[in-house]
Amino acid sequence: MTPVRPWTLSRVLPALGGWCALAAQLLPVGAPLRAVVVAAFLLAGPGAAAADWARPVPRPARGPDRLSAAGLAVALSLAFAVLTAEALFFTGSFGAARAVLVLAGLTTVLTLLPRRLPRRPLQQLRGLRRRHGPHRGRDRRPAGRPPVRWRLLTVATVLALSAACGASGSIGSTGSGGSGGNGIGVGSVFDPSAPAAPSAPAAAGAPLPVEADQPPSTGPWHQVFRDDFNGSGLDRGSWATCYDWNDGGCTNAGNQEDQWYLPSQVSVANGKLTLTAERRATTGSDGKTYPWTSGMVSTGRDQWDGTPRKTFTYGYFAAAIKTTGQAAGMFPAFWLLPAGTRGGLPELDIAEFINTDQYADLNLHAEAPDGTNIDAHYSHGPVDFSAGYHVFGLDWEPDAVTWYVDGVQVFQVTDPNVIPTVAMEMILDLAVGYHQSPPADVDRTQVDVDWVGVWQH
C-alpha cells in the first residue's frame, strides 16, 4: 500500500493559524495581538501549506535548505495573498475578514489534500546513487539534499508572475477616477478598494460622466436633499453660513486658520454657489483680528442652542465642485460633522483640497474602541480640479464608507468599528491659512459649487 503524508503538528499548524487569524478579526481595531496573528498567517500560512504538500520528504535537514524552504513559503504566501486581494477587489467584495477567510479556507484545503509518498524510501534512492558510481555525475546536487519538485517551482513561478502583474495593474488603477489620476492611500487598518479601469478623462467644461449626478447602483434610493442654486440668493431654510458656534461670524480655531467666516462671502447667482475668500482684516467676536474673510455654508444651526436645519445618518452625499486655482494657503472642503457634539470625532471628509488643486484628500477620522484616534486617508490625483466641475461623492453605509470621484469608486473603508453611526451636518467651506498662509500677491479667490444632493435608501 502506498504511504501517505503523516499527520504532524507542522502539517496542521498553517491551517490552525488561518482560523486563529480569522478569529482575531473579532479583536478591537489596532489591537497588537490582532495585527501579529494576522500578519504571521499572511506571511507564512498558505505558502507553508503549499510547500508541505508539494515537497518530498523528509524535511530539509541542512541550514541552507531550511532557509530556502522558508523563503519559498513566504513568497508563495505573499503571492496567494495578492491574488486573493485582487480577486476580491475586482468583484467589489474586498474586506479584511473576507480575505483572511478565503486564505484560511485555501490553507485548510492544502493541508487536507492527500499526497502519495514514493513506495521506496528516499534513503534507498540515495543509496542507489552512491552504489552506481557512473551515474553520480548526472545529478550534481549535494548528497542529502532532496530532489527538486518541479511542480512546486512551476506553481511558485506562475503565482509570482501573476501577483506581480496584478499588483502593477492595481497600482496603476487604484485611486484613479474619471479624470485618470492616480492616488496614494494610507491607513493600516483600512481596506482601500481598487476600482475597475476608469473611462477616459472628461475635458474641462465637458459634460460629466453618465450617472455622476446619481448615487451608485447599490440599491433603491430616494433623494432627501437637493440644491441646484438656481435662485438669486442662498436658501436660508437649507443653509446656515457658519458653524454651530455662530456669533457674528465664526472660524475653526482648532486649525489656527487665517479666516473669519461671514455671510457676505457667500453668494448664489448664475446657477452656482460661490464661496469667496478675500484678504480683508476682520475682527471676530472672540476679539482676535483675522487677516482674511471667507465664506462657508452648513446644514447646521444659526446659534449654539438652535436646531440644525438638516442632519443625515447614512446616505449618498455628492456635490459638483470647481476648486480654487490659487491653491497655496487655501483649504476648501466638502465634509460631514457630528450634529450632537458640534465638532470632534467622527468626521467624514468627502473631499478636501489642502494647499493644492491637483489632489483631493478623502478621509475618515474616528475614535477606535480603545479610545485612540484612527485616520483613514486617500489622496486622489493628480487632476486639475480647478479647470472645471468634478463630482465628489460619498456612500455612507453601516458596513462601509465608499468615496467616488466623477462617478468612479476610488476608496473604501469597511471596518464597522470605525464607521460613524451618529447624525451629521453637511458643510462646504473655504478655509485659509491651514499649514501655510497664501502668498503675498494673492488677495482673493473663490470656490464654485454647481449642485449638492443627498440620497438615502
Side-chain angles (χ1 to χ4, degrees):
M1 182 176 179
T2 304
V4 296
R5 290 188 300 168
W7 287 100
T8 62
L9 178 61
S10 61
R11 179 181 170 185
V12 301
L13 194 58
L16 181 61
W19 298 110
C20 289
L22 185 62
Q25 299 296 310
L26 300 176
L27 296 175
V29 175
L33 180 60
R34 171 176 172 171
V36 169
V37 172
V38 173
F41 169 67
L42 294 179
L43 284 174
D52 184 71
W53 172 77
R55 69 170 179 80
V57 291
R59 289 183 173 276
R62 298 187 176 187
D65 289 329
R66 290 181 179 272
L67 184 61
S68 298
L72 183 58
V74 171
L76 284 169
S77 292
L78 293 177
F80 280 127
V82 171
L83 290 173
T84 300
E86 289 169 357
L88 294 175
F89 277 150
F90 294 146
T91 58
S93 58
F94 182 83
R98 187 175 287 112
V100 172
L101 174 61
V102 171
L103 290 170
L106 173 64
T107 304
T108 302
V109 169
L110 290 170
T111 300
L112 298 176
L113 197 65
R115 180 172 65 82
R116 303 296 181 182
L117 303 183
R119 291 180 180 276
R120 306 177 69 181
L122 189 61
Q123 288 81 357
Q124 294 183 16
L125 297 177
R126 292 173 183 156
L128 286 174
R129 286 203 303 271
R130 285 194 294 270
R131 287 194 296 270
H132 298 278
H135 297 283
R136 292 177 63 186
R138 299 178 185 176
D139 191 338
R140 298 184 180 277
R141 289 185 297 272
R145 176 176 294 184
V148 174
R149 185 164 291 276
W150 293 106
R151 64 179 175 181
L152 177 59
L153 289 180
T154 302
V155 170
T157 302
V158 171
L159 285 174
L161 289 176
S162 300
C165 293
S168 62
S170 296
I171 292 172
S173 62
T174 298
S176 59
S179 299
N182 293 329
I184 303 168
V186 179
S188 61
V189 298
F190 299 96
D191 307 316
S193 174
S199 57
L208 291 170
V210 176
E211 304 300 327
D213 191 11
Q214 297 294 326
S217 55
T218 55
W221 297 93
H222 66 279
Q223 195 165 64
V224 296
F225 180 87
R226 179 80 181 197
D227 198 336
D228 290 293
F229 306 109
N230 289 328
S232 58
L234 185 69
D235 179 3
R236 296 305 299 264
S238 297
W239 302 102
T241 54
C242 251
Y243 292 111
D244 291 337
W245 48 90
N246 183 357
D247 183 13
C250 60
T251 191
N252 188 341
N255 284 345
Q256 300 180 340
E257 295 167 354
D258 290 344
Q259 86 292 327
W260 185 258
Y261 290 120
L262 287 177
S264 60
Q265 304 306 114
V266 179
S267 62
V268 171
N270 302 317
K272 65 181 179 181
L273 165 73
T274 300
L275 307 176
T276 302
E278 293 183 285
R279 189 187 293 273
R280 186 176 77 241
T282 302
T283 301
S285 58
D286 58 0
K288 298 180 180 179
T289 299
Y290 295 82
W292 283 77
T293 307
S294 190
M296 68 168 289
V297 295
S298 163
T299 63
R301 305 167 175 84
D302 278 325
Q303 55 189 0
W304 183 263
D305 295 325
T307 301
R309 287 166 169 77
K310 297 183 185 297
T311 61
F312 310 92
T313 306
Y314 307 124
Y316 180 71
F317 305 79
I321 301 172
K322 182 171 70 172
T323 191
T324 172
Q326 301 287 346
M330 302 299 167
F331 181 17
F334 175 32
W335 53 301
L336 303 177
L337 187 69
T341 58
R342 299 176 175 84
L345 300 177
E347 176 184 323
L348 292 171
D349 299 322
I350 305 170
E352 292 184 329
F353 305 91
I354 306 176
N355 300 305
T356 180
D357 57 7
Q358 300 295 310
Y359 289 88
D361 282 351
L362 322 174
N363 306 299
L364 184 154
H365 303 296
E367 185 176 278
D370 62 1
T372 59
N373 291 345
I374 294 181
D375 301 296
H377 165 74
Y378 190 83
S379 185
H380 179 75
V383 177
D384 187 356
F385 290 114
S386 67
Y389 287 100
H390 292 267
V391 177
F392 301 92
L394 179 138
D395 184 5
W396 170 23
E397 305 286 349
D399 58 351
V401 179
T402 309
W403 284 256
Y404 295 81
V405 177
D406 292 334
V408 178
Q409 178 180 327
V410 295
F411 182 48
Q412 185 177 66
V413 172
T414 58
D415 192 326
N417 293 314
V418 298
I419 293 176
T421 60
V422 299
M424 310 274 268
E425 300 172 359
M426 186 166 54
I427 299 172
L428 288 150
D429 63 20
L430 174 51
V432 184
Y434 181 62
H435 288 328
Q436 69 180 78
S437 294
D441 59 347
V442 174
D443 295 320
R444 180 186 176 93
T445 192
Q446 68 184 45
V447 169
D448 296 325
V449 182
D450 186 50
W451 57 264
V452 180
V454 180
W455 294 258
Q456 290 181 332
H457 292 300

